[in-house]
Amino acid sequence: MRNGQKGSEKIGPVEDAALVDAFEARVAADEFIEPKDWMPEAYRKTLIRQISQHAHSEIVGMLPEGNWITRAPSLRRKAVLLAKVQDEGGHGLYLYCAAETLGVGRDELIEDLHSGKAKYSTIFNYPTLTWADIGAIGWLVDGAAIMNQVPLQRTSYGPYARAMIRVCKEESFHQRQGYEIMMALMDGTEAQKAMAQDALNRWWWPSLMMFGPPDDNSPNTAQSMRWRIKRETNDQLRQRFVDATVPQAEAIDLRVPDDALAWNEERGHYDFGEIDWEEFYSVIRGEGPVARERMQARRKAWDEGAWVRDAANAYAAKAAARKEAA
């Protein structure tokens, strides 16, 4: 691959061919690229986009569940949900730190989120209407996240791969927590069973959208696969999610809301219906049911937390001054 090639093969500005070849050889050999290693500018920018989008998703993802902490049906449920929301905040921290190793400042990343320049997972622009939605988010949304994130433990950029090890362990717990909520509801009253089915009906298709556009309409997949940033395509991961999740639904007598869903013996996979891609792109454009509320909440939290950041910076500056004077 050389500078000046067209399409997704293009690396970017003029770069030393020997450096490019050495970089490509290391990636092909499954070596980790580290922050001080030379890398093509397009590789760096791709990582910043992906890691920051991932970090933003963790932070915005705290909002729909945080809304239910005080309304969870028992003290145990409150404690578990609180721990989960705290985990998501920690995931965002790990990922912002990984992005900073690429030479971008956290304030810049957050400004891009608040201005709408940067994206986050479209799944968080849907409302949580009932307690069952918290179960559906844990089971489906975190289940889809695990499918996406487990391969990232082998992504080519070292800091990102290492951050994902702990993230994946915690997301696995979150998925089990969500499924346990759905199990409890399906073992309850008829009203509780109906609540769980309604949550599945509303979250199933947005969960499938989490894997991104189909492979033939995904502008970044080919290059990300070549650079080992991604290890599997959107459609491969989506299929794996369906294959794993449908039996889980059937095990607790939930019905996946897809009349086209059927086991294909020849393929060894489930066939499933067509996703409403117009809805997917409209939510990406910020037209999701609660997209405006999500960003208002994030900006409000950022503005109201300014005094905490200022105090922390002032304390760090005084500590550094004392150390220098000693």
Side-chain angles (χ1 to χ4, degrees), residues 17-31:
L19 290 175
V20 172
D21 288 343
F23 169 84
E24 294 280 357
R26 291 187 62 194
V27 169
D30 278 337
E31 294 183 24

Side-chain angles (χ1 to χ4, degrees), residues 73-146:
S74 70
L75 180 59
R76 172 179 174 269
R77 296 293 188 191
K78 286 179 171 65
V80 172
L81 185 57
L82 178 61
K84 181 187 178 185
V85 172
Q86 289 176 319
D87 283 349
E88 307 295 1
H91 297 173
L93 175 63
Y94 307 150
L95 292 162
Y96 283 132
C97 289
E100 286 176 317
T101 66
L102 292 159
V104 61
R106 192 174 310 187
D107 285 352
E108 180 184 348
L109 296 175
I110 293 173
E111 174 57 31
D112 286 347
L113 171 65
H114 291 170
S115 69
K117 179 180 177 181
K119 304 298 182 184
Y120 56 89
S121 179
T122 59
I123 195 77
F124 300 118
N125 284 338
Y126 291 87
T128 46
L129 305 178
T130 70
W131 172 249
D133 287 30
I134 303 305
I137 288 174
W139 173 36
L140 301 175
V141 175
D142 292 320
I146 291 169

Side-chain angles (χ1 to χ4, degrees), residues 9-309:
E9 296 294 304
K10 183 178 178 181
I11 286 183
V14 175
E15 291 167 335
D16 186 282
L19 290 175
V20 172
D21 288 343
F23 169 84
E24 294 280 357
R26 291 187 62 194
V27 169
D30 278 337
E31 294 183 24
F32 281 136
I33 305 300
E34 299 296 344
K36 293 184 179 180
D37 295 338
W38 185 90
M39 64 188 73
E41 182 63 14
Y43 177 82
R44 189 184 74 86
K45 289 182 176 179
T46 297
L47 282 168
I48 291 173
R49 176 187 57 78
Q50 180 169 327
I51 297 173
S52 64
Q53 180 174 315
H54 192 167
H56 298 331
S57 298
E58 298 284 357
I59 298 301
V60 177
M62 299 167 68
L63 297 173
E65 293 177 304
N67 183 47
W68 276 90
I69 291 174
T70 59
R71 294 184 287 162
S74 70
L75 180 59
R76 172 179 174 269
R77 296 293 188 191
K78 286 179 171 65
V80 172
L81 185 57
L82 178 61
K84 181 187 178 185
V85 172
Q86 289 176 319
D87 283 349
E88 307 295 1
H91 297 173
L93 175 63
Y94 307 150
L95 292 162
Y96 283 132
C97 289
E100 286 176 317
T101 66
L102 292 159
V104 61
R106 192 174 310 187
D107 285 352
E108 180 184 348
L109 296 175
I110 293 173
E111 174 57 31
D112 286 347
L113 171 65
H114 291 170
S115 69
K117 179 180 177 181
K119 304 298 182 184
Y120 56 89
S121 179
T122 59
I123 195 77
F124 300 118
N125 284 338
Y126 291 87
T128 46
L129 305 178
T130 70
W131 172 249
D133 287 30
I134 303 305
I137 288 174
W139 173 36
L140 301 175
V141 175
D142 292 320
I146 291 169
M147 291 294 175
N148 268 318
Q149 293 170 7
V150 166
L152 291 175
Q153 294 175 104
R154 297 181 293 114
T155 191
S156 60
Y157 188 58
Y160 193 18
R162 290 187 287 273
M164 295 313 303
I165 294 172
R166 179 167 179 174
V167 170
C168 287
K169 289 179 180 179
E170 293 177 349
E171 292 290 4
S172 179
F173 171 80
H174 299 167
Q175 193 269 346
R176 295 176 189 181
Q177 173 252 351
Y179 189 59
E180 194 263 344
I181 290 175
M182 301 299 275
M183 289 175 63
L185 290 171
M186 292 304 292
D187 195 37
T189 66
E190 291 303 313
Q192 288 172 322
K193 293 176 182 178
M195 185 191 302
Q197 182 64 59
D198 174 66
L200 173 58
N201 292 347
R202 287 183 289 105
W203 288 95
W204 175 255
W205 292 106
S207 295
L208 295 192
M209 296 176 195
M210 281 183 68
F211 297 95
D215 292 345
D216 58 5
N217 195 30
S218 179
N220 300 308
T221 291
Q223 186 63 82
S224 291
M225 292 284 288
R226 180 186 180 95
W227 279 335
R228 305 287 208 274
I229 295 173
K230 291 181 67 171
R231 291 286 183 162
E232 296 177 76
T233 71
N234 297 349
D235 287 338
Q236 288 172 335
L237 293 167
R238 192 170 7 251
Q239 181 69 68
R240 182 178 298 173
F241 173 77
V242 172
D243 291 347
T245 308
V246 170
Q248 294 171 356
E250 293 175 344
I252 55 175
D253 296 325
L254 282 167
R255 180 185 177 277
V256 173
D258 181 358
D259 293 335
L261 184 70
W263 178 255
N264 186 318
E265 194 68 40
E266 183 178 349
R267 291 199 313 120
H269 297 286
Y270 282 96
D271 294 332
F272 54 95
E274 181 66 21
I275 293 170
D276 183 350
W277 293 113
E278 179 52 40
E279 177 181 334
F280 170 78
Y281 288 113
S282 71
V283 177
I284 285 180
R285 292 193 299 267
E287 299 167 13
V290 292
R292 184 173 299 176
E293 290 90 332
R294 294 286 183 255
M295 277 300 93
Q296 287 175 343
R298 280 303 312 144
R299 295 187 192 103
K300 181 173 184 289
W302 180 256
D303 292 341
E304 292 182 352
W307 70 272
V308 178
R309 296 191 300 276

